[in-house]
Amino acid sequence: FVKFGITNKTHHSRVTKQKYMSGLDYELVMTKKFAVGGDARRIEQRIKKQIGRRAEEKDVMPDGYTETCSIEHLGFVIAEINKGA
């Protein structure tokens, strides 16, 4: 599955926390820094609305499960992030 989302921390600290909480391993595919946090939030919400159902449940990924999708959506997620707000 794909995990996407926003953070006001470093991507390293966010991934480390999620690895610890879920016990899953991650491959970081991309990061993007936004000058305005609201832009990142709008993109995240747009992606969630377009994709619909999340890929993981809370018991598998207690922190961030609502921002997950099937790997088949990776190209779409990257395109939406690159498109911007």
Side-chain angles (χ1 to χ4, degrees):
F1 68 91
V2 172
K3 165 69 177 108
F4 60 93
I6 59 176
T7 184
N8 59 0
K9 311 246 184 279
T10 67
H11 63 271
H12 176 75
S13 66
R14 183 70 172 134
V15 168
T16 300
K17 179 182 178 186
Q18 290 191 321
K19 281 182 180 182
Y20 173 77
M21 293 192 67
S22 70
L24 301 172
D25 198 14
Y26 292 82
E27 176 184 346
L28 187 61
V29 175
M30 86 175 280
T31 64
K32 183 168 184 171
K33 187 171 179 117
F34 291 87
V36 179
D39 290 347
R41 172 65 68 193
R42 280 187 285 286
I43 293 167
E44 180 185 72
Q45 293 302 315
R46 187 172 69 222
I47 291 169
K48 289 168 72 171
K49 184 177 180 179
Q50 293 283 337
I51 291 174
R53 190 182 182 292
R54 60 188 170 263
E56 286 303 327
E57 297 300 325
K58 190 173 186 173
D59 60 332
V60 174
M61 178 174 245
D63 180 34
Y65 74 99
T66 61
E67 295 85 29
T68 62
C69 63
S70 169
I71 192 73
E72 69 189 35
H73 297 298
L74 178 59
F76 171 77
V77 170
I78 291 171
E80 288 298 304
I81 293 167
N82 286 332
K83 183 167 51 171

